Amino acid sequence: LPKSTPAPLRRLLARCLERDPKTRLRDIGEARIALESPTAVEPEAPVAVAAAPKRPAWMVGTAALVLVALGALAALAVARARGPAIAPPVTFLQKSFRRQAIFNARFAPDGRTIVYSGANERTKSEVFVIRPEYQEAVPLGIPASHLLAVSSKNELAILTKASWQHHRVFQGTLARVPLGGGAPRELLEDVREADWSPDGSQLAIIRESQGKDRLEYPMGKVLYESSGYLSDLRISPDGKKFAFMEHPWRGDDRGGVSVIDLAGKRVVLADGFGAEEGLAWAPNGQELLISAWMEGESIYQIAAIDLSGRIRHPLIVPEGFTPQDIATGGALLATSDDTPSLIMGRAPGDLAERDLSWLDASGSPVISRDGSTLALTDWGRSAGSNYAVLMRKMDGSPALKLGEGSAEDLSPDGRWVLVVVPTTPARVMLYPTGPGEARRLDAGELEAYSDGHWFGDGKSILLCGNAVGKAPRCYVRSLDSPELHPVGLEGVDRGVVSPDGEQVLVRRVTGDSLLCPVSGDTPRPLPFIATAERVIRFSPDGTKVWVAHGRRVESIELTSGRREMILELAVSQGGGMNNVTEISLADDPRVYAYTAAEYSSRLFQIEGVK
C-alpha cells in the first residue's frame, strides 16, 4: 500500500486478510458499516459540521483502494456462495482397540453401526459388530466367518468355513445372516467376494470356476471372466455398475481397477499399480476410493479414481491405510494396517533360528539342497514395483542383490536362481549366484506365473502359470528350447518335481493334489493331502512329500499316505494375525527357512475427506 494509505483503510484491509475466517469481514455489508462508522475516522482528523453527512476526506482520496477492498470482499462473497472458503479439518476417530488383523469393514445403513471381520491369531477370522450404544467390538458368534457386505436391509453377506488365501482374500461358503444375529443361511460354496444390490435383493459374487475367476450378477450369470484373480467387488450406488480389482498374478496384489455395466461392457479405469487393496464407491457414484502404490510414487496411499480414469489424492495419511467403506453422509471407514514379513531360518549345525530378512518386507525364501545358501525376495518399496532378488549365506552374512523379480528356486548345483519378473507379460530369468551373466528364457504365450522349479538334472524347469484368457497349468521347458510341454490338467497353479524328474506333483486351484507323470500318463489323485496343506517338496529319495499346514511340517508316504511330523515352527511375534506363509527345506529337513508374517490393524472413522 502507498505510504499515504490512511490507518482505518489499513485496518479494514487487514481484517479482510485475517488468517482466522471468524475474524474476517463476512460480506460487503460489513465493509460498508466499517467504512461509515465514526470510528473509521482518523482521531486527529477534524469532524465536519454540515447539514448533510459527508464521508471522511480520506475515503474520497483513496476511492480506488476502497473499490479494490470491496472487490476482494465481493469475490469472497461469491466464493462463500459456492462453498466454504476453508475446508473443515479432517478428523480421525479410532473405532477398534483389539490387537487383531482386520480384513473387511462396512457401515450398516444407519451410518453409525460398524461390522467387520478380523482375526486375533493365525488365520481364524470372525465377524464383529460395533454399535453406537456399545463401542466395544462384539463377536457375532459365527466361527471361521468372514464379512463380505452389509445390505440396505441390515442383512450380512458372509463366508462360513472361511479359509484365508492371501492378503485380505478368503474363500468359503456364501451365506446370509441378519445383522441382529441368528443362524446363517448358506447359499453357494467356493465364493471369495460378494456385494449387495442397493435394494438388498440380489448379490453379485466372485468365485473360481474351472481355473478362472468369474464375476456373476445375479448369481449364475457371468458378467466377466479372468485368468488372473478378481477382488474387492463393489456395486455402484445406483446398482448399474460393478467395480473390482483385477490382478494378473494369483496371490499377488498388483493390478488395476475396472468397472463393468449390466450389459458386460468393461472399462479399465487405471492399471499397472504395484499394489492395490480396498475399494469403495463415493456416495455420488462418480468416484472410487482405493489404496495403491503407483509407479513413481514412494508410498502406498489412498487415491480417488473418477469414471474417466483421473486420479487424485483426497487424503494424505501415513502408508498402510486401506479404505473399507464410505457412508451415505461421506464418512470414510478405513484400516491402518501393519504387515511386516520376516525370513527366519536355521542353518546346518545351528541349534536356534536366526533372522535372515532383508529390511522389513522379505519373502519367498529358497534354500539350497545342502542348506548353505538362501535366495529371497524383497517386496518392499525400496525394491521397486518388480521386487528384487537377493542371495545370502545361511550364516547370516551380508546379502547380495542379484536383480529384479521374485525368487522361485535354486538350481541343483546352486549356481543359478530361477526368477520370475512380474512385468506384463512376465519374464523368466536365470541369475548366476557367482560369476556369469543373467540369462532370459522365452516362455512363449505365458502371461503370468504362480510357481517355478528346477528338474534334478539342471537342464529343464517346471513353470506354472497362465496364458491370456486360459486357465493356469504347469509346463516343462528345456533350457535349450522355448517349447512348452504341458503336464497334467488345466486349472493347476502349483507344482513340485520328483528327484528323478519323472513325476510332477501338482495342486489344482480347487485344492486337491495330483501326481502327474511327465510322460503324459494318467494323473493319480492323492486324497491324503488335505486341500489346506501346501506341498513343499519331495524327500531326497522321492518316496515321500513334505507338506506344511500352518506351522507344522509333515512327511507323507506316497504309497500308503502314512504321516510323520518332522518339524513344528515356534513363531512368536506381536499381536494380530501371525502366520507362516512359505517354508523351504534343505535335503536335511532340520535346515530350513520360512516367512513369518504379522498382520495387525486399527479401524478408523474419518470425517471431512473431500
Tab-separated table of all heavy atoms in Angstrom, residues 442-474:
chain	number	residue	atom	x	y	z
A	442	ASP	N	12.741	-67.415	-22.924
A	442	ASP	CA	11.462	-67.155	-23.568
A	442	ASP	C	10.449	-68.183	-23.067
A	442	ASP	O	10.708	-69.381	-23.069
A	442	ASP	CB	11.621	-67.253	-25.086
A	442	ASP	CG	10.321	-66.983	-25.827
A	442	ASP	OD1	9.373	-66.494	-25.185
A	442	ASP	OD2	10.257	-67.274	-27.033
A	443	ALA	N	9.289	-67.694	-22.632
A	443	ALA	CA	8.257	-68.613	-22.115
A	443	ALA	C	6.995	-68.571	-22.961
A	443	ALA	O	5.892	-68.818	-22.475
A	443	ALA	CB	7.948	-68.291	-20.673
A	444	GLY	N	7.134	-68.239	-24.214
A	444	GLY	CA	6.016	-68.318	-25.147
A	444	GLY	C	4.840	-67.450	-24.773
A	444	GLY	O	4.989	-66.268	-24.466
A	445	GLU	N	3.658	-68.051	-24.747
A	445	GLU	CA	2.430	-67.278	-24.560
A	445	GLU	C	2.063	-67.077	-23.094
A	445	GLU	O	1.068	-66.428	-22.789
A	445	GLU	CB	1.275	-67.982	-25.260
A	445	GLU	CG	0.972	-69.367	-24.707
A	445	GLU	CD	-0.218	-70.030	-25.389
A	445	GLU	OE1	-0.870	-69.370	-26.194
A	445	GLU	OE2	-0.478	-71.195	-25.102
A	446	LEU	N	2.866	-67.586	-22.173
A	446	LEU	CA	2.526	-67.424	-20.767
A	446	LEU	C	2.622	-65.954	-20.365
A	446	LEU	O	3.599	-65.272	-20.654
A	446	LEU	CB	3.445	-68.259	-19.883
A	446	LEU	CG	3.261	-69.780	-19.948
A	446	LEU	CD1	4.121	-70.448	-18.897
A	446	LEU	CD2	1.809	-70.164	-19.760
A	447	GLU	N	1.575	-65.488	-19.676
A	447	GLU	CA	1.483	-64.087	-19.278
A	447	GLU	C	1.886	-63.878	-17.823
A	447	GLU	O	2.498	-62.869	-17.464
A	447	GLU	CB	0.049	-63.586	-19.487
A	447	GLU	CG	-0.185	-62.164	-19.019
A	447	GLU	CD	-1.650	-61.790	-19.045
A	447	GLU	OE1	-2.492	-62.662	-18.736
A	447	GLU	OE2	-1.950	-60.634	-19.378
A	448	ALA	N	1.521	-64.813	-16.955
A	448	ALA	CA	1.802	-64.690	-15.525
A	448	ALA	C	2.137	-66.069	-14.971
A	448	ALA	O	1.776	-67.101	-15.548
A	448	ALA	CB	0.599	-64.102	-14.791
A	449	TYR	N	2.839	-66.072	-13.839
A	449	TYR	CA	3.328	-67.315	-13.260
A	449	TYR	C	2.930	-67.424	-11.804
A	449	TYR	O	2.808	-66.415	-11.100
A	449	TYR	CB	4.862	-67.383	-13.367
A	449	TYR	CG	5.353	-67.319	-14.786
A	449	TYR	CD1	5.579	-66.095	-15.399
A	449	TYR	CD2	5.556	-68.472	-15.522
A	449	TYR	CE1	6.014	-66.023	-16.713
A	449	TYR	CE2	5.981	-68.417	-16.835
A	449	TYR	CZ	6.212	-67.178	-17.421
A	449	TYR	OH	6.628	-67.123	-18.727
A	450	SER	N	2.736	-68.644	-11.345
A	450	SER	CA	2.431	-68.880	-9.942
A	450	SER	C	3.446	-69.781	-9.270
A	450	SER	O	3.455	-69.884	-8.046
A	450	SER	CB	1.034	-69.510	-9.806
A	450	SER	OG	0.927	-70.672	-10.609
A	451	ASP	N	4.331	-70.440	-10.050
A	451	ASP	CA	5.306	-71.349	-9.459
A	451	ASP	C	6.377	-71.685	-10.487
A	451	ASP	O	6.130	-71.635	-11.703
A	451	ASP	CB	4.621	-72.631	-8.978
A	451	ASP	CG	5.341	-73.265	-7.795
A	451	ASP	OD1	6.344	-72.700	-7.342
A	451	ASP	OD2	4.893	-74.324	-7.323
A	452	GLY	N	7.563	-72.041	-10.003
A	452	GLY	CA	8.644	-72.455	-10.884
A	452	GLY	C	9.669	-73.277	-10.126
A	452	GLY	O	10.002	-72.945	-8.974
A	453	HIS	N	10.174	-74.377	-10.747
A	453	HIS	CA	11.134	-75.264	-10.079
A	453	HIS	C	12.098	-75.854	-11.104
A	453	HIS	O	11.771	-75.994	-12.287
A	453	HIS	CB	10.420	-76.408	-9.348
A	453	HIS	CG	9.616	-75.958	-8.167
A	453	HIS	ND1	10.185	-75.677	-6.945
A	453	HIS	CD2	8.288	-75.730	-8.032
A	453	HIS	CE1	9.240	-75.287	-6.102
A	453	HIS	NE2	8.080	-75.308	-6.740
A	454	TRP	N	13.273	-76.220	-10.608
A	454	TRP	CA	14.254	-76.914	-11.427
A	454	TRP	C	13.981	-78.415	-11.421
A	454	TRP	O	13.533	-78.966	-10.423
A	454	TRP	CB	15.661	-76.695	-10.865
A	454	TRP	CG	16.217	-75.320	-11.096
A	454	TRP	CD1	16.078	-74.242	-10.282
A	454	TRP	CD2	17.025	-74.908	-12.197
A	454	TRP	NE1	16.741	-73.166	-10.807
A	454	TRP	CE2	17.342	-73.545	-11.987
A	454	TRP	CE3	17.522	-75.549	-13.341
A	454	TRP	CZ2	18.127	-72.818	-12.876
A	454	TRP	CZ3	18.307	-74.817	-14.224
A	454	TRP	CH2	18.596	-73.474	-13.995
A	455	PHE	N	14.305	-79.062	-12.530
A	455	PHE	CA	14.399	-80.519	-12.558
A	455	PHE	C	15.773	-80.904	-12.010
A	455	PHE	O	16.710	-80.101	-12.019
A	455	PHE	CB	14.220	-81.049	-13.979
A	455	PHE	CG	12.787	-81.200	-14.381
A	455	PHE	CD1	12.025	-80.097	-14.708
A	455	PHE	CD2	12.178	-82.446	-14.402
A	455	PHE	CE1	10.697	-80.227	-15.068
A	455	PHE	CE2	10.845	-82.600	-14.760
A	455	PHE	CZ	10.095	-81.480	-15.095
A	456	GLY	N	15.869	-82.149	-11.523
A	456	GLY	CA	17.081	-82.599	-10.849
A	456	GLY	C	18.317	-82.602	-11.728
A	456	GLY	O	19.438	-82.513	-11.210
A	457	ASP	N	18.156	-82.706	-13.064
A	457	ASP	CA	19.325	-82.721	-13.944
A	457	ASP	C	19.865	-81.327	-14.233
A	457	ASP	O	20.925	-81.180	-14.860
A	457	ASP	CB	18.998	-83.439	-15.258
A	457	ASP	CG	17.858	-82.758	-16.031
A	457	ASP	OD1	17.376	-81.683	-15.590
A	457	ASP	OD2	17.447	-83.303	-17.071
A	458	GLY	N	19.141	-80.287	-13.775
A	458	GLY	CA	19.587	-78.916	-14.005
A	458	GLY	C	19.470	-78.459	-15.441
A	458	GLY	O	19.977	-77.392	-15.803
A	459	LYS	N	18.764	-79.241	-16.299
A	459	LYS	CA	18.658	-78.906	-17.711
A	459	LYS	C	17.258	-78.459	-18.130
A	459	LYS	O	17.058	-78.004	-19.250
A	459	LYS	CB	19.063	-80.110	-18.575
A	459	LYS	CG	20.504	-80.549	-18.366
A	459	LYS	CD	20.837	-81.765	-19.211
A	459	LYS	CE	22.279	-82.210	-18.991
A	459	LYS	NZ	22.621	-83.425	-19.797
A	460	SER	N	16.267	-78.606	-17.215
A	460	SER	CA	14.890	-78.241	-17.524
A	460	SER	C	14.276	-77.577	-16.300
A	460	SER	O	14.749	-77.756	-15.168
A	460	SER	CB	14.061	-79.473	-17.918
A	460	SER	OG	14.582	-80.102	-19.065
A	461	ILE	N	13.208	-76.851	-16.548
A	461	ILE	CA	12.475	-76.210	-15.453
A	461	ILE	C	10.988	-76.486	-15.610
A	461	ILE	O	10.493	-76.749	-16.719
A	461	ILE	CB	12.722	-74.685	-15.399
A	461	ILE	CG1	12.339	-74.032	-16.735
A	461	ILE	CG2	14.154	-74.374	-15.020
A	461	ILE	CD1	12.418	-72.516	-16.718
A	462	LEU	N	10.287	-76.429	-14.480
A	462	LEU	CA	8.830	-76.519	-14.460
A	462	LEU	C	8.287	-75.113	-14.235
A	462	LEU	O	8.696	-74.413	-13.300
A	462	LEU	CB	8.359	-77.433	-13.336
A	462	LEU	CG	6.836	-77.586	-13.176
A	462	LEU	CD1	6.288	-78.508	-14.254
A	462	LEU	CD2	6.487	-78.114	-11.790
A	463	LEU	N	7.361	-74.674	-15.097
A	463	LEU	CA	6.729	-73.368	-14.963
A	463	LEU	C	5.222	-73.561	-14.864
A	463	LEU	O	4.633	-74.279	-15.688
A	463	LEU	CB	7.040	-72.476	-16.169
A	463	LEU	CG	8.492	-72.014	-16.334
A	463	LEU	CD1	8.675	-71.307	-17.665
A	463	LEU	CD2	8.905	-71.114	-15.186
A	464	CYS	N	4.607	-72.971	-13.849
A	464	CYS	CA	3.153	-72.998	-13.717
A	464	CYS	C	2.634	-71.575	-13.861
A	464	CYS	O	3.139	-70.659	-13.201
A	464	CYS	CB	2.739	-73.566	-12.359
A	464	CYS	SG	3.352	-75.236	-12.036
A	465	GLY	N	1.660	-71.406	-14.719
A	465	GLY	CA	1.118	-70.072	-14.958
A	465	GLY	C	-0.013	-70.124	-15.956
A	465	GLY	O	-0.560	-71.188	-16.244
A	466	ASN	N	-0.365	-68.958	-16.481
A	466	ASN	CA	-1.493	-68.928	-17.408
A	466	ASN	C	-1.205	-68.032	-18.600
A	466	ASN	O	-0.530	-67.005	-18.501
A	466	ASN	CB	-2.774	-68.455	-16.714
A	466	ASN	CG	-2.637	-67.108	-16.062
A	466	ASN	OD1	-2.240	-67.011	-14.908
A	466	ASN	ND2	-2.966	-66.058	-16.803
A	467	ALA	N	-1.721	-68.465	-19.744
A	467	ALA	CA	-1.715	-67.640	-20.943
A	467	ALA	C	-2.950	-66.755	-20.921
A	467	ALA	O	-3.885	-66.983	-20.134
A	467	ALA	CB	-1.705	-68.532	-22.183
A	468	VAL	N	-2.973	-65.738	-21.772
A	468	VAL	CA	-4.090	-64.807	-21.798
A	468	VAL	C	-5.387	-65.549	-22.107
A	468	VAL	O	-5.491	-66.276	-23.094
A	468	VAL	CB	-3.856	-63.711	-22.858
A	468	VAL	CG1	-5.047	-62.765	-22.922
A	468	VAL	CG2	-2.592	-62.932	-22.545
A	469	GLY	N	-6.365	-65.393	-21.214
A	469	GLY	CA	-7.677	-65.991	-21.424
A	469	GLY	C	-7.756	-67.474	-21.165
A	469	GLY	O	-8.802	-68.079	-21.403
A	470	LYS	N	-6.685	-68.095	-20.673
A	470	LYS	CA	-6.685	-69.539	-20.443
A	470	LYS	C	-6.501	-69.843	-18.959
A	470	LYS	O	-5.949	-69.047	-18.216
A	470	LYS	CB	-5.576	-70.214	-21.249
A	470	LYS	CG	-5.769	-70.114	-22.753
A	470	LYS	CD	-4.681	-70.862	-23.494
A	470	LYS	CE	-4.875	-70.786	-25.007
A	470	LYS	NZ	-3.793	-71.510	-25.739
A	471	ALA	N	-6.967	-71.022	-18.566
A	471	ALA	CA	-6.810	-71.449	-17.183
A	471	ALA	C	-5.343	-71.772	-16.915
A	471	ALA	O	-4.607	-72.173	-17.829
A	471	ALA	CB	-7.672	-72.672	-16.913
A	472	PRO	N	-4.871	-71.613	-15.684
A	472	PRO	CA	-3.473	-71.907	-15.375
A	472	PRO	C	-3.182	-73.403	-15.452
A	472	PRO	O	-4.046	-74.234	-15.219
A	472	PRO	CB	-3.312	-71.385	-13.949
A	472	PRO	CG	-4.686	-71.427	-13.367
A	472	PRO	CD	-5.612	-71.126	-14.500
A	473	ARG	N	-1.938	-73.715	-15.794
A	473	ARG	CA	-1.476	-75.093	-15.781
A	473	ARG	C	0.040	-75.108	-15.705
A	473	ARG	O	0.677	-74.052	-15.735
A	473	ARG	CB	-1.974	-75.872	-16.996
A	473	ARG	CG	-1.370	-75.481	-18.312
A	473	ARG	CD	-2.001	-76.264	-19.463
A	473	ARG	NE	-1.998	-77.702	-19.226
A	473	ARG	CZ	-2.628	-78.586	-20.018
A	473	ARG	NH1	-3.336	-78.167	-21.063
A	473	ARG	NH2	-2.573	-79.873	-19.767
A	474	CYS	N	0.633	-76.299	-15.580
A	474	CYS	CA	2.082	-76.420	-15.472
A	474	CYS	C	2.678	-76.935	-16.786
A	474	CYS	O	2.047	-77.730	-17.502
A	474	CYS	CB	2.457	-77.353	-14.331
A	474	CYS	SG	2.087	-76.688	-12.688
